[in-house]
């Protein structure tokens, strides 16, 4: 099965609930709880999966190699609640600011 970000039929996506950079989100939460982002709290297999499949792990910047950015040419709507404490803007900011859709 092809990932939707690589499927040319997908022209836009709207994540309703989520964070494009899950590892940043969880790292902030772990730091607040004084828990390391490491086993046993975060299994190695889980960290590897997130690093491979998180949108922030995909080449998404202007300097990404030609054809490597799965977001290029897509329309992306970003919504974030000003006072959202569950998924704060700080966890998404870097990805959104770096995102290059062309």
């Amino acid at each position: 099965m092809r990932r939707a970000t690589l499927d040319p039929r997908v022209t836009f996506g709207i994540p309703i609930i989520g964070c494009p950079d899950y590892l940043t989100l969880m790292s902030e939460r772990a730091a607040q709880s004084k828990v390391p982002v490491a086993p046993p709290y975060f299994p190695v297999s889980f960290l590897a999966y997130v690093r491979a499949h998180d949108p922030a792990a995909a080449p998404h910047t202007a300097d990404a190699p030609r054809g490597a950015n799965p977001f290029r040419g897509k329309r992306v709507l970003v919504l974030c609640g000003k006072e959202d404490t569950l998924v704060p803007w700080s966890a998404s900011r870097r990805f959104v600011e770096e995102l290059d859709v062309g």
Side-chain angles (χ1 to χ4, degrees):
M1 175 179 263
R2 293 178 57 135
R3 287 180 48 189
T5 57
L6 302 178
D7 191 326
R9 298 172 296 174
V10 176
T11 59
F12 70 94
I14 302 173
I16 302 300
I17 299 173
C19 179
D21 192 342
Y22 184 76
L23 198 52
T24 294
L25 174 65
M26 294 311 293
S27 295
E28 288 179 9
R29 289 180 181 177
Q32 290 173 352
S33 300
K34 297 181 175 55
V35 173
V37 180
Y41 306 101
F42 292 82
V44 171
S45 59
F46 174 72
L47 292 172
Y49 182 87
V50 170
R51 287 184 178 120
H53 295 93
D54 205 23
H60 60 276
T61 60
D63 62 351
R66 184 176 176 94
N69 182 343
F71 305 100
R72 182 163 294 277
K74 306 292 194 276
R75 289 177 256 166
V76 178
L77 173 66
V78 177
L79 301 172
C80 183
K82 179 180 177 183
E83 297 182 30
D84 187 342
T85 57
L86 187 59
V87 183
W89 171 243
S90 61
S92 301
R93 178 189 309 268
R94 181 175 173 200
F95 174 83
V96 173
E97 289 178 352
E98 291 178 346
L99 182 62
D100 178 48
V101 295

